[in-house]
């Protein structure tokens, strides 16, 4: 007989890290590293709103029932990936604009951030800082219902504070 009580936590990945091209990995590996550091189960995938629209729609539509709680989506140029994923799921989608060659990521930023009202994408900064912060925000979202993760996030912030306090400038006063 089935035991009553709280539903068990899903065991698979909780965060999906999706990027439009393998060329985005150099930046998005920082999100992967951070999630690993926090012990957050996650999956990293390549899919494109333009080059693989069916895969993108299928993956986003099945994300919730596969146990994912947050999606991080990185793309560059005409960066529609985060928006398209968001249109197929009600899970929170965090967009990371990639630094593009021709416009230095301004194109990616604007096409990720300027969503029409009704389908939000929480957009982070361009490039590595955005990748790191998307992962931290995903951790913070999961931490709302996970005290252990919240404690780890507090420890991370405390370590940063400690590091800044111990910093000195080599040429100061000379
Ligand atoms: C976007 O186009 C990708 O997210 C990538 O940032 C950009 C360039 O892709 P590649 O031509 O390097 O595959 O879809």
């Amino acid at each position: 007989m089935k035991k009553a009580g709280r539903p068990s936590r899903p065991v698979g990945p909780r965060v999906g890290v999706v990027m439009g091209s393998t060329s985005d990995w150099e930046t998005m590996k920082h999100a992967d590293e951070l999630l690993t550091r926090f012990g957050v189960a996650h999956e990293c995938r390549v899919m494109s709103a333009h080059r693989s629209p069916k895969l993108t729609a299928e993956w986003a539509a099945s994300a919730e029932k596969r146990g994912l709680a947050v999606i991080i989506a990185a793309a560059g140029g005409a960066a529609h990936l985060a928006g398209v994923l968001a249109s197929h799921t009600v899970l929170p989608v965090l967009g990371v604009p990639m630094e593009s060659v021709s416009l230095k990521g301004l194109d990616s930023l604007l096409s990720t951030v300027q969503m029409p009202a009704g389908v939000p994408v929480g957009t982070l900064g361009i490039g590595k800082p955005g990748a790191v912060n998307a992962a931290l925000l995903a951790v913070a979202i999961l931490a709302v219902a996970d005290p252990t993760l919240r404690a780890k996030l507090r420890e991370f912030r405390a370590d940063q504070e400690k590091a800044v306090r111990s910093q000195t400038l080599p040429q100061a006063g000379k």
Side-chain angles (χ1 to χ4, degrees):
M1 206 165 79
K2 230 181 172 185
K3 266 193 189 168
R6 290 213 293 172
S8 57
R9 229 172 238 285
V11 286
R14 307 301 326 278
V15 178
V17 181
V18 181
M19 59 214 81
S21 169
T22 52
S23 64
D24 300 325
W25 175 246
E26 205 44 39
T27 304
M28 293 314 293
K29 70 180 184 190
H30 298 289
D32 170 59
E33 282 165 12
L34 201 126
L35 291 168
T36 302
R37 177 174 167 181
F38 274 88
V40 172
H42 61 285
E43 64 175 351
C44 297
R45 296 285 305 266
V46 175
M47 64 193 69
S48 162
H50 307 118
R51 292 168 176 158
S52 64
K54 284 183 193 153
L55 168 65
T56 302
E58 284 160 15
W59 186 88
S62 65
E64 196 181 338
K65 70 168 184 281
R66 288 185 290 109
L68 291 177
V70 186
I71 293 171
I72 296 173
H80 299 128
L81 182 60
V84 168
L85 290 168
S87 73
H88 289 286
T89 180
V90 294
L91 294 176
V93 176
L94 307 176
V96 185
M98 295 294 93
E99 186 172 331
S100 54
V101 177
S102 32
L103 295 175
K104 297 281 171 216
L106 187 58
D107 45 356
S108 324
L109 172 65
L110 296 180
S111 47
T112 303
V113 78
Q114 289 290 16
M115 288 297 289
V119 186
V121 167
T123 305
L124 286 300
I126 298 168
K128 182 182 169 184
V132 170
N133 282 343
L136 284 171
L137 206 47
V139 169
I141 291 168
L142 294 175
V144 169
D146 185 338
T148 308
L149 205 50
R150 209 172 321 145
K152 284 187 191 174
L153 204 46
R154 286 211 176 89
E155 199 183 317
F156 176 87
R157 292 285 183 94
D159 286 349
Q160 273 191 153
E161 163 94 23
K162 208 166 138 192
V164 172
R165 281 175 185 270
S166 68
Q167 280 164 0
T168 54
L169 298 169
Q171 300 299 320
K174 288 191 179 166

